[in-house]
C-alpha cells in the first residue's frame, strides 16, 4: 500500500510539472506592438454611436499598417534561434525539461512560412486580411460616405513604405470599391509621419541608445531573469540562453501566431503567461520612451495630424469638406497622437523597477497591428435647429476616455484640438 501511494504521488507530481500550452483554455494573447488586430479589436457594426436626427457627414481616420513581416536583422536572429528545436527534442528524449509531449511534437513539426522569412518588411498575408476586414466593416457602417465618393471628396494616403501602401490596397479591397484612388506617399514629410523628416527625433530619440535605458535595465531585473531561468528549466536544454535568444524566441512566438485564424504558434509553448507579460512590458517601456510620455517632444508630433483632423471637420461643417480622409501610418504615430490627446497616461511613469499590471499605457491594445483611431463628424437636425457632434473610436469601439463615452459636442471637440493649430516643428 505504501509503495502504491509513492507511485501515485510520483506520477501526480510528474503530471503537474508538465506545462501543456496546446490545450490551455485561456492563452495570454498580448504581444506589445506585434499583437494581431483580431485579439484586440471591437466591431464598428455593433458599436457605432447613433442618435435620432444625426447623420455622419465626414470620417477621418489614422490607421496603423496591417501585420508585416520582420526586418532582415530580426529574420536572421529568429532563424538562428530555431536550432533550439533540436536541443529540445534531445532533452525530451532524455527525460529532461518539463514540456509536455504534444508541445514538443508541435514544435518539432513546425515549418517556417516562406512569406514571413523571405519577404522581409513586407505586409504579411494576415496583415492584408486585417486591412480588408477593417475596410469591409467600416464601409458597411459608413456606406454613404465611403462608397459614393468622387476623387475630390476623399483622401487615401499612407506614409512611405511598401507595407503601408499595400495596407491601403487591402483596405480598398475590403471596401469593394476598386475605383478609389490612392494618393502617392511622400518620402520626405507628411502629416501622418512628421517625425520621419526630423533629425532631432531620428537621431536624438529613435536612434539614441539612452532612450531604451529602462527597457535594457529591466532585463537585469529579477522578473526577466526568472523568465530566462524558467525557459531554461522548461526546455531542459544544455546551454545557457542569452537575452538575445529570449528575444528571438519571443519574436518567433508572436510573428508566427495568427489572429485571423486564431492559431497560436508552437513557439509560444516555451513561455508561461507570466513570461509573456514580462516580455510585453519590455515593449511597453520601449514605446513609452521612444514614442510616448517618456520623451516630451513626442506630443508635439502628435498634434500635427490632429490639426489636420480639426481643419478637415471645420471644412466639412462649412459645407466644403471631404466625405472621408484616411491616413495609414506606423505605431510611432499612433502613440504620439495618444499622447497629444492625453490618453492612457499613468500617474507614475513606467520604469524598470516596477511593472504595474494595471497600467494604462499598453502598447498591445493601443498600438497593435492595424490599430486605428477613427473619428466621425455628425450633423444633427432637430426641428429648425442644426447642431454637430464628434465621435472618437479606437479599434472599432467608442473611445470612452474622451468626452462623453467618446461623443464630444462640437464645442468640446474644438476646445480640445484648437490649441494644436499653431504647432510648428522648428526644433527639427
Amino acid at each position: 500500500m505504501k509503495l502504491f501511494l509513492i507511485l501515485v504521488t510520483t506520477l501526480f507530481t510528474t503530471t503537474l510539472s508538465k506545462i501543456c500550452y496546446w490545450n490551455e483554455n485561456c492563452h495570454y494573447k498580448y504581444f506589445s506592438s506585434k499583437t494581431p488586430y483580431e485579439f484586440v479589436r471591437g466591431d464598428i457594426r455593433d458599436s457605432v454611436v447613433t442618435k435620432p436626427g444625426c447623420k455622419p457627414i465626414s470620417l477621418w481616420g489614422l490607421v496603423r499598417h496591417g501585420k508585416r513581416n520582420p526586418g532582415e536583422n530580426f529574420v536572421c536572429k529568429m532563424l538562428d534561434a530555431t536550432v533550439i528545436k533540436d536541443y529540445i527534442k534531445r532533452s525530451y528524449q532524455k527525460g529532461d525539461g518539463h514540456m509536455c509531449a504534444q508541445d514538443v511534437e508541435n514544435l518539432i513539426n513546425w515549418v517556417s512560412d516562406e512569406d514571413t522569412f523571405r519577404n522581409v518588411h513586407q505586409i504579411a498575408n494576415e496583415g492584408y486580411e486585417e486591412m480588408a476586414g477593417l475596410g469591409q466593416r467600416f464601409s458597411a457602417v459608413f456606406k454613404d460616405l465611403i462608397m459614393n465618393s468622387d476623387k475630390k471628396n476623399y483622401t487615401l494616403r499612407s506614409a512611405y513604405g511598401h507595407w503601408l501602401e499595400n495596407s491601403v490596397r487591402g483596405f480598398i479591397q475590403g471596401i469593394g470599391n476598386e475605383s478609389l484612388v490612392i494618393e502617392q506617399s511622400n518620402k520626405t514629410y507628411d502629416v501622418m509621419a512628421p517625425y520621419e523628416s526630423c533629425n532631432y527625433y531620428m537621431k536624438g530619440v529613435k536612434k539614441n541608445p539612452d532612450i531604451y535605458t529602462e527597457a535594457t535595465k529591466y532585463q537585469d531585473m529579477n522578473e526577466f531573469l526568472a523568465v530566462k531561468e524558467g525557459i531554461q528549466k522548461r526546455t531542459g536544454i544544455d546551454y545557457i540562453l542569452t537575452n538575445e535568444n529570449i528575444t528571438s524566441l519571443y519574436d518567433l512566438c508572436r510573428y508566427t501566431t495568427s489572429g485571423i485564424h486564431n492559431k497560436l504558434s508552437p513557439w509560444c509553448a516555451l513561455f508561461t503567461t507570466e513570461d509573456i507579460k514580462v516580455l510585453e512590458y519590455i515593449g511597453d517601456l520601449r514605446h513609452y520612451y521612444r514614442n510616448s510620455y517618456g520623451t516630451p517632444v513626442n506630443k508635439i508630433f502628435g498634434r500635427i495630424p490632429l490639426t489636420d483632423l480639426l481643419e478637415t471637420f471645420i471644412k466639412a461643417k462649412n459645407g466644403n469638406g471631404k466625405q472621408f480622409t484616411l491616413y495609414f501610418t506606423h505605431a510611432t504615430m499612433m502613440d504620439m497622437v495618444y499622447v497629444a490627446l492625453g490618453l492612457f497616461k499613468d500617474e507614475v511613469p513606467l520604469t524598470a523597477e516596477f511593472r504595474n499590471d494595471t497600467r494604462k499605457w499598453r502598447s498591445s491594445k493601443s498600438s497593435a497591428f492595424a490599430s486605428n483611431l477613427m473619428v466621425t463628424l455628425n450633423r444633427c437636425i432637430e426641428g429648425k435647429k442644426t447642431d454637430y457632434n464628434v465621435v472618437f473610436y479606437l479599434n472599432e469601439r467608442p473611445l470612452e476616455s474622451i468626452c462623453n463615452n467618446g461623443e464630444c459636442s462640437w464645442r468640446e471637440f474644438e476646445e480640445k484640438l484648437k490649441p494644436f493649430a499653431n504647432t510648428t516643428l522648428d526644433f527639427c
Side-chain angles (χ1 to χ4, degrees), residues 219-233:
Q219 292 181 308
D220 292 325
M221 296 294 179
N222 288 335
E223 286 186 339
F224 183 80
L225 296 177
V227 171
K228 290 176 67 175
E229 183 180 0
I231 296 173
Q232 198 82 50
K233 290 180 178 179

Side-chain angles (χ1 to χ4, degrees), residues 252-428:
L252 282 166
C253 161
R254 55 190 188 161
Y255 273 109
T256 62
T257 284
S258 170
I260 292 284
H261 304 290
N262 198 26
K263 187 176 180 181
L264 294 160
S265 171
W267 290 101
C268 297
L270 301 180
F271 306 94
T272 65
T273 292
E274 185 65 16
D275 293 342
I276 298 294
K277 288 181 177 181
V278 167
L279 295 167
E280 176 193 26
Y281 189 58
I282 293 175
D284 284 351
L285 287 171
R286 291 177 63 85
H287 277 250
Y288 187 82
Y289 289 93
R290 185 184 65 203
N291 309 335
S292 175
Y293 292 102
T295 302
V297 74
N298 291 329
K299 65 183 178 183
I300 300 177
F301 291 111
R303 294 170 181 169
I304 301 296
L306 291 173
T307 298
D308 182 89
L309 165 60
L310 175 62
E311 293 172 350
T312 298
F313 280 4
I314 288 175
K315 290 178 181 178
K317 184 171 175 281
N318 293 333
N320 57 357
K322 297 189 175 183
Q323 290 180 213
F324 71 91
T325 303
L326 296 176
Y327 298 121
F328 293 75
T329 187
H330 306 273
T332 301
M333 190 77 260
M334 303 300 297
D335 289 345
M336 290 173 171
V337 167
Y338 301 145
V339 174
L341 289 171
L343 303 175
F344 318 125
K345 187 174 184 180
D346 293 280
E347 292 183 10
V348 179
L350 273 58
T351 66
E353 280 73 23
F354 175 63
R355 172 172 60 95
N356 181 3
D357 280 338
T358 61
R359 64 189 179 278
K360 296 177 182 178
W361 185 260
R362 300 292 294 275
S363 54
S364 294
K365 297 186 178 182
S366 58
S367 306
F369 284 125
S371 54
N372 52 89
L373 179 70
M374 298 286 193
V375 193
T376 60
L377 173 64
N378 306 292
R379 180 189 290 126
C380 301
I381 299 176
E382 184 177 352
K384 295 182 179 181
K385 182 182 178 183
T386 299
D387 200 1
Y388 296 86
N389 66 32
V390 176
V391 182
F392 286 79
Y393 300 92
L394 178 64
N395 297 337
E396 302 182 58
R397 296 185 185 91
L399 186 52
E400 295 182 353
S401 56
I402 285 189
C403 302
N404 179 27
N405 294 324
E407 180 188 347
C408 303
S409 66
W410 176 260
R411 180 179 178 181
E412 288 173 320
F413 170 74
E414 199 170 30
E415 287 178 349
K416 190 176 290 289
L417 269 62
K418 204 169 185 179
F420 304 157
N422 295 320
T423 299
T424 65
L425 301 179
D426 293 344
F427 60 88
C428 288

